[in-house]
Amino acid sequence: MIAKAVAEDISSLNTLINSAYRGEFSKKGWTTEANILEGSRTTEEELLEIIQDASNTILKFSGNGKIIGCVLLKAKANELYLGMLTVSPELQNSGVGKKLLQQAEIFASEMSLPKIVMTVITVREELIAWYKRNGYVDTGAREPFPVSDVFNPTTKEPLEFMVLEKIIS
């Protein structure tokens, strides 16, 4: 079941997102960033700020009484930004991510936003290929990877974001 996340979901979302992106448990799935980044992907404080901002929506995918997937949607002037698409590592390849992408498209259509945009770290080739199979295209634009105490690259390779988009008909 997909529904809008609320403040009471923050702790569960934080655990899910961090377990899917970083650390040993994330390596059970194919979307891990553990080989290129260490540290947390998000915090409860950041998630609270996201949920409290009216331009943001976090959709949660629940199954068996717990949150097993989520996605951040941010409405902008003429596009919907999609971020933090997350599926529990042991449930990846089960269709949860695809269902969240489809729900994001419905959300964009309902808001009359003509396209969905996202950024993906360029070295994550397998993930980029998955998004392309789901209709997203590389715009050619690149954005710098943020330098902060939260994001600790473990690779010598310079990191940057690829901007992907999908036009919603």
Side-chain angles (χ1 to χ4, degrees):
M1 180 175 113
I2 299 175
K4 185 175 178 177
V6 295
E8 291 75 27
D9 297 319
I10 288 174
S11 180
S12 296
L13 289 168
N14 187 53
T15 299
L16 171 71
I17 293 164
N18 285 310
S19 74
Y21 279 87
R22 313 274 164 78
E24 278 308 305
F25 187 74
S26 72
K27 294 176 183 176
K28 291 183 177 197
W30 65 273
T31 63
T32 182
E33 292 178 344
N35 57 334
I36 56 172
L37 294 163
E38 59 185 22
S40 297
R41 171 61 180 82
T42 192
T43 64
E44 289 191 14
E45 292 78 17
E46 180 186 28
L47 291 169
L48 181 60
E49 286 177 25
I50 289 169
I51 284 178
Q52 289 176 337
D53 181 336
S55 66
N56 296 328
T57 299
I58 295 179
L59 296 179
K60 62 180 177 178
F61 191 112
S62 300
N64 296 328
K66 66 182 218 173
I67 300 173
I68 58 172
C70 66
V71 64
L72 166 63
L73 304 175
K74 183 172 189 66
K76 297 188 175 185
N78 62 346
E79 64 191 25
L80 183 69
Y81 177 80
L82 184 149
M84 262 194 282
L85 179 63
T86 306
V87 177
S88 180
E90 68 263 284
L91 296 171
Q92 291 176 8
N93 287 328
S94 68
V96 172
K98 189 172 219 154
K99 287 176 184 161
L100 285 165
L101 279 184
Q102 290 166 342
Q103 194 62 45
E105 291 177 28
I106 292 166
F107 189 89
S109 292
E110 288 173 350
M111 297 193 72
S112 300
L113 296 172
K115 65 182 174 179
I116 298 175
V117 296
M118 70 175 74
T119 56
V120 180
I121 301 170
T122 54
V123 297
R124 300 192 64 206
E125 294 171 10
E126 199 175 349
L127 184 59
I128 291 166
W130 184 81
Y131 282 121
K132 287 181 175 180
R133 287 193 303 274
N134 283 283
Y136 288 81
V137 295
D138 180 358
T139 65
R142 300 292 181 267
E143 294 180 2
F145 191 82
V147 177
S148 78
D149 295 338
V150 179
F151 302 115
N152 303 311
T154 58
T155 178
K156 297 290 181 227
E157 207 170 340
L159 298 178
E160 67 178 353
F161 287 113
M162 173 186 293
V163 179
L164 298 170
E165 74 175 19
K166 182 173 185 176
I167 303 301
I168 305 301
S169 49

